[in-house]
């Protein structure tokens, strides 16, 4: 609602509850807005830390982007406020917590759970890309689980609005050279690559190019050294989908709308987009 964004919030509007976790720049607390009794997650960031890490512009962009997004698989940002020393983000509370903890607990996910999550993330990315936003940081740590078991993409700290550089031409693409028009395509396809990594990690419990040394991981990524360990619970369809997403040439990666039509997704994803176990 428009009122939510324009309203001037202060700390006095909230009862602060237990800490939910800590991000790099501060903590996230369970909180309740006093008038509505609405439960939220209040992310508290220290201005001093933001300044010394020069991420104020990134935070402004995160707030600008996330506050305008409305999608069931994207964590809402209801508003923000600040005081002398801190910035506060009023975020949707995801009642079932962090996905990476679930993945650690169960080591890996079934094909049904994986396909359901991947399909819902693909729909969220289609929505994001449709608004010329790319997330650029899709990984288990940035995924939360809502009350019904639905996934929520959080932490838009690394997202960018791909047209911000190009808006200087006041919206027209006519004057852009091929490499800039192509890079708009390129930008969005980085999220397809990350979704492929995520699908692999959900099924095998580890990301595909993991190695002891960073230099080895780097080498395996640029070579797309993709191997599928023999695992009876992972079908050829899953390997086919992953192989179509982890393609070096970004223009050849499976488009997200095609992912939703892939037989392995159609056969395994729960149509409601929610994995009920
Ligand atoms: C970097 C960062 O913000 N990471 C996490 C911390 C908690 N935070 C949450 C955010 Cl931003 C929103 N909702 C959450 N729900 C939970 C949570 C729920 N349970 C049962 N356990 C937890 C934990 N955490 C959040 C995001």
């Amino acid at each position: 609602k428009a009122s939510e964004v324009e309203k001037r919030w202060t700390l006095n509007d909230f009862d602060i509850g237990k800490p939910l976790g800590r991000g790099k720049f501060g903590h996230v607390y369970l909180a309740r807005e006093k008038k509505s009794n609405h439960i939220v997650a209040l992310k508290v960031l220290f201005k001093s830390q933001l300044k010394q890490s020069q991420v104020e512009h990134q935070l402004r962009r995160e707030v600008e982007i996330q506050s305008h997004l409305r999608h069931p698989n994207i964590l809402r940002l209801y508003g923000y406020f600040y005081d002398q020393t801190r910035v506060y983000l009023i975020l949707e509370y995801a009642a079932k917590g962090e996905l990476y903890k679930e993945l650690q607990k169960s080591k890996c996910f079934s094909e049904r759970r994986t396909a359901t999550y991947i399909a819902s993330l693909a729909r969220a990315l289609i929505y994001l890309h449709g608004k010329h936003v790319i997330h650029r940081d899709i990984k288990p740590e940035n995924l939360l689980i809502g009350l019904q078991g639905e996934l929520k993409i959080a932490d838009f700290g690394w997202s960018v609005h791909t047209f911000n550089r190009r808006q200087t031409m006041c919206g027209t693409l006519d004057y852009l050279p091929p490499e800039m028009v192509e890079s708009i395509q390129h930008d969005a396809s980085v999220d397809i690559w990350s979704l492929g990594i995520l699908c692999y990690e959900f099924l095998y419990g580890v990301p595909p190019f993991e190695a002891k040394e960073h230099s080895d991981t780097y080498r395996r990524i640029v070579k797309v050294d993709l191997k599928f360990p023999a695992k009876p619970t992972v079908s050829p369809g899953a390997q086919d989908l992953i192989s179509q997403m982890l393609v070096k040439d970004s223009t050849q990666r499976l488009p997200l709308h095609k992912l939703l039509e892939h037989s392995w997704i159609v056969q395994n994803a729960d149509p409601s987009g929610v994995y009920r176990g």
Side-chain angles (χ1 to χ4, degrees), residues 133-189:
V133 173
I134 53 173
H135 188 276
R136 295 199 306 176
D137 199 13
I138 299 290
K139 59 186 178 187
E141 292 76 3
N142 288 340
L143 300 173
L144 294 166
I145 307 175
L147 191 62
Q148 316 301 331
E150 75 280 21
L151 273 201
K152 304 247 177 201
I153 300 177
D155 207 340
F156 279 71
W158 290 104
S159 59
V160 283
H161 203 246
T162 46
F163 281 108
N164 54 4
R165 288 192 300 280
R166 293 144 196 132
Q167 222 111 35
T168 49
M169 322 266 185
C170 50
T172 174
L173 296 178
D174 300 294
Y175 299 86
L176 294 184
E179 66 275 16
M180 280 187 80
V181 175
E182 257 168 22
S183 78
I184 295 173
Q185 217 41 47
H186 158 80
D187 291 349
S189 62

Side-chain angles (χ1 to χ4, degrees), residues 3-180:
S3 60
E4 274 168 1
V5 183
E6 270 87 58
K7 172 161 176 41
R8 277 270 150 270
W9 297 100
T10 72
L11 205 46
N12 289 332
D13 292 320
F14 300 92
D15 288 319
I16 309 298
K18 66 173 181 173
L20 290 170
R22 69 200 71 238
K24 209 162 125 227
F25 299 100
H27 296 176
V28 182
Y29 296 89
L30 190 61
R32 180 179 53 217
E33 201 276 315
K34 289 173 181 169
K35 289 199 191 59
S36 63
N37 278 335
H38 187 204
I39 298 293
V40 296
L42 198 63
K43 194 168 192 174
V44 183
L45 304 154
F46 289 98
K47 283 184 177 176
S48 56
Q49 283 191 10
L50 293 172
K51 207 178 296 303
Q52 83 192 54
S53 315
Q54 286 134 28
V55 290
E56 296 104 318
H57 71 281
Q58 198 176 307
L59 178 67
R60 243 185 288 280
R61 194 164 55 205
E62 177 180 349
V63 172
E64 178 55 31
I65 288 174
Q66 206 169 347
S67 57
H68 290 94
L69 299 175
R70 300 283 188 281
H71 189 278
N73 299 110
I74 293 176
L75 198 77
R76 277 293 308 280
L77 187 145
Y78 300 118
Y80 69 95
F81 56 97
Y82 46 84
D83 60 21
Q84 202 62 28
T85 54
R86 287 162 295 212
V87 176
Y88 304 84
L89 304 186
I90 309 165
L91 293 160
E92 174 184 359
Y93 171 64
K96 289 200 172 153
E98 299 170 286
L99 180 90
Y100 85 91
K101 284 185 184 157
E102 272 294 306
L103 187 55
Q104 273 173 351
K105 215 161 53 180
S106 44
K107 178 110 166 46
C108 55
F109 292 150
S110 69
E111 291 199 292
R112 278 192 50 256
R113 183 168 192 177
T114 300
T116 303
Y117 283 161
I118 295 299
S120 61
L121 292 173
R123 286 193 295 275
L125 289 174
I126 289 170
Y127 168 82
L128 266 186
H129 295 170
K131 289 183 166 287
H132 309 303
V133 173
I134 53 173
H135 188 276
R136 295 199 306 176
D137 199 13
I138 299 290
K139 59 186 178 187
E141 292 76 3
N142 288 340
L143 300 173
L144 294 166
I145 307 175
L147 191 62
Q148 316 301 331
E150 75 280 21
L151 273 201
K152 304 247 177 201
I153 300 177
D155 207 340
F156 279 71
W158 290 104
S159 59
V160 283
H161 203 246
T162 46
F163 281 108
N164 54 4
R165 288 192 300 280
R166 293 144 196 132
Q167 222 111 35
T168 49
M169 322 266 185
C170 50
T172 174
L173 296 178
D174 300 294
Y175 299 86
L176 294 184
E179 66 275 16
M180 280 187 80

